[in-house]
Amino acid sequence: MTETQTLKNGITVLLSTDDRAETACVLVGVAIGANNEEKNEYGLAHFFEHMCFKGTKTYPTNQELVTRMDESGLVANAYTDREYTAYHMSGRAERLQDMLHLTADIFLYSLFPANELDKEKKVIIEEIAMYRDDPPSRAFDEVNQSLFHDTAAGHPILGTEESVASFSRDNFTHFLQKHYTAKNTIISIAGKFDRDSTLQKLEKLYSDTRQGEQSAQATVSPTAPKETHRSIVRNDLEQTHIVIGGYTPSYNSTDRHTTEVFDVIFGGSMSSRLFLRVREKLGACYTIKTLIDLMTHTGEFAIYTGIGGKRTTEVMGAIADECAIIKKTPVPEAELKKAKEFLLGLNAVQQESKSAIASEQMHAYAQSGTPENNEEYKRNILAVTADDVQRIANSILDNKKLTTCYVSNTEIPETITENFYSGF
């Protein structure tokens, strides 16, 4: 069970104690991400996260900072998502004080040195190029932009070469003052630690946190994709990479857990329908899978596979068949039970990872205002019915609200996509 506390300055603290553990994780999250960026800031939240490791008040250079982490035996990282940004450190439980000090130093006292800014621009521009050169990443990016065009979620988290190159140090200080405030901050700690002394330490470490208004999450309510078919030609490729995207209910929807069960049944496991049909039966691919990304107000669903180009029509037809079946026919009880057991097993495995607990609790609180309760999660998963799954399948696999992107060495005719949509 995760305990929720509030520091005197308004920071939320989530405490997941486990006296049996030998490790701990300290995560400092801020409930803002790429969706909070203005049009002239695309990519800034992610760039900001990078710059927080370039030197702090206590450790003025990147080398001093990372050396301190390494000599403390800490595994450190950070990430930027659509609706939150997080900085986290994990290590042996006896190193908790180091984790607390270092995460606070990064979060509150980063220097954003001007001499590092231009160098990091080059790093991030190379990161953008790396993902653009990766066919699945390119297809996912195109699908996301089509689904969420003209909304806060319709631009790449990394930004563009042009937007990244335009940033000045003033952009970072403005973003810091506007969003990195006590009301937006969530500290999530999991593992072995003393509750009372940890709270006392946090009160001291975060006493200088900036005050300000809570940043509201942008309302993202798309109704239809910008385009239903996109074909990108890359002459250097041997495979055709396909991403089919659509919308899901939000994280806060009563259908959240049904969406998770549907995802496992349809393509989210090695015994899922798409995996058994396209990989095991047809032998047409190495990977085929579904993914879901649930945001505060909406969500995204995707099917991905990479296949030999000559089998595109065959594979799209097989996927269409499976879409039609799951929309028209209730899932058998045995298959439904299997999917639920898979999710509960996955959740149990994640509970063994302190970094996974700290991250999941922060995500849950940022999106719903309450940490995840494992017993409640289990009850909600077990309560999902076959009728629920069929209803969500019909909602997500609405052929009028899907978009498909191909990245291949040849142009994929739009008729293949049209035939796919007409198949269910």
Side-chain angles (χ1 to χ4, degrees):
M1 181 70 71
T2 298
E3 177 187 359
T4 304
Q5 291 289 330
T6 305
L7 301 185
K8 292 176 183 177
N9 60 10
I11 290 178
T12 299
V13 180
L14 307 174
L15 302 169
S16 305
T17 57
D18 183 357
D19 291 336
R20 303 167 301 167
E22 296 183 2
T23 63
C25 176
V26 176
L27 181 149
V28 184
V30 59
I32 64 98
N35 285 8
N36 295 88
E37 296 167 343
E38 303 294 335
K39 286 188 176 181
N40 65 337
E41 296 177 330
Y42 287 170
L44 185 58
H46 171 257
F47 200 151
F48 188 99
E49 169 226 308
H50 275 232
M51 290 299 294
C52 283
F53 287 88
K54 296 303 178 181
T56 68
K57 185 171 69 174
T58 308
Y59 306 97
T61 68
N62 167 263
Q63 184 173 348
E64 290 174 278
L65 179 60
V66 297
T67 297
R68 183 71 183 91
M69 294 176 192
D70 288 348
E71 68 186 16
S72 298
L74 303 181
V75 178
N77 212 333
Y79 57 88
T80 305
D81 212 314
R82 285 285 167 194
E83 298 184 319
Y84 37 77
T85 306
Y87 307 83
H88 57 98
M89 295 187 189
S90 300
R92 291 178 294 151
E94 54 262 38
R95 289 292 191 174
L96 180 73
Q97 296 305 310
D98 292 326
M99 297 181 222
L100 293 173
H101 278 279
L102 285 163
T103 48
D105 209 35
I106 287 170
F107 192 76
L108 294 175
Y109 304 116
S110 285
L111 300 177
F112 308 110
N115 65 314
E116 293 287 346
L117 182 60
D118 286 338
K119 286 193 293 184
E120 201 62 23
K121 284 182 180 181
K122 297 174 184 177
V123 171
I124 293 176
I125 287 172
E126 288 302 322
E127 185 180 4
I128 292 170
M130 178 184 72
Y131 283 110
R132 187 175 55 235
D133 282 354
D134 178 61
S137 297
R138 177 70 187 278
F140 275 110
D141 194 42
E142 295 290 339
V143 162
N144 180 81
Q145 291 183 56
S146 179
L147 289 172
F148 297 105
H149 64 102
D150 298 329
T151 76
H155 66 277
I157 291 176
L158 299 184
T160 65
E161 287 95 334
E162 293 74 21
S163 64
V164 168
S166 73
F167 296 143
S168 68
R169 191 173 184 278
D170 288 344
N171 292 116
F172 292 93
T173 55
H174 174 73
F175 200 77
L176 179 77
Q177 296 294 330
K178 182 178 180 181
H179 295 301
Y180 276 58
T181 64
K183 289 183 180 179
N184 285 335
T185 303
I186 303 164
I187 301 172
S188 182
I189 305 177
K192 186 176 182 179
F193 59 91
D194 181 78
R195 171 195 179 277
D196 293 340
S197 63
T198 298
L199 284 170
Q200 290 173 8
K201 191 70 174 179
L202 291 174
E203 289 282 8
K204 294 179 181 179
L205 288 172
Y206 288 86
S207 59
D208 292 339
T209 305
R210 289 163 292 277
Q211 295 298 309
E213 296 301 316
Q214 185 171 4
S215 302
Q217 288 295 346
T219 300
V220 179
S221 302
T223 56
K226 184 177 182 179
E227 55 190 359
T228 59
H229 169 89
R230 181 81 188 275
S231 178
I232 298 170
V233 177
R234 282 264 307 270
N235 293 327
D236 58 322
L237 299 179
E238 294 186 7
Q239 284 190 311
T240 295
H241 298 267
I242 306 169
V243 175
I244 303 161
Y247 306 106
T248 73
S250 72
Y251 183 92
N252 294 308
S253 167
T254 55
D255 285 324
R256 169 193 156 198
H257 300 94
T258 300
T259 302
E260 293 183 59
V261 174
F262 160 76
D263 177 61
V264 170
I265 291 171
F266 198 55
S269 72
M270 290 179 66
S271 65
S272 67
R273 295 185 177 190
L274 291 180
F275 193 93
L276 293 178
R277 176 74 177 271
V278 179
R279 173 172 162 153
E280 297 301 309
K281 184 176 180 179
L282 297 181
C285 68
Y286 175 73
T287 298
I288 183 164
K289 59 185 177 181
T290 57
L291 305 96
I292 54 174
D293 182 13
L294 308 183
M295 292 180 279
T296 299
H297 301 291
T298 186
E300 183 174 2
F301 168 80
I303 301 168
Y304 165 75
T305 191
I307 60 173
K310 293 181 179 179
R311 303 191 73 175
T312 302
T313 299
E314 175 190 12
V315 168
M316 291 298 282
I319 295 173
D321 286 346
E322 294 300 333
C323 289
I325 292 168
I326 200 167
K327 288 175 69 173
K328 295 176 182 177
T329 307
V331 174
E333 189 61 34
E335 189 178 14
L336 182 64
K337 181 179 179 181
K338 173 172 62 70
K340 293 177 181 180
E341 286 297 327
F342 179 89
L343 285 167
L344 296 181
L346 179 62
N347 184 63
V349 170
Q350 290 173 336
Q351 295 307 304
E352 297 297 315
S353 167
K354 304 314 166 192
S355 60
I357 293 173
S359 182
E360 179 55 39
Q361 297 295 9
M362 186 276 291
H363 296 175
Y365 192 91
Q367 292 184 294
S368 67
T370 183
E372 180 79 275
N373 181 305
N374 279 327
E375 289 304 314
E376 184 177 356
Y377 177 80
K378 183 177 180 179
R379 288 195 298 272
N380 287 331
I381 290 295
L382 292 176
V384 173
T385 68
D387 287 343
D388 292 332
V389 173
Q390 187 177 10
R391 174 172 51 80
I392 287 300
N394 276 275
S395 173
I396 294 175
L397 301 175
D398 182 342
N399 54 20
K400 295 181 178 62
K401 295 183 178 181
L402 296 177
T403 184
T404 302
C405 180
Y406 308 84
V407 181
S408 179
N409 60 13
T410 186
E411 184 79 21
I412 304 300
E414 190 167 357
T415 53
I416 291 181
T417 305
E418 292 172 350
N419 290 336
F420 167 69
Y421 294 144
S422 66
F424 56 97

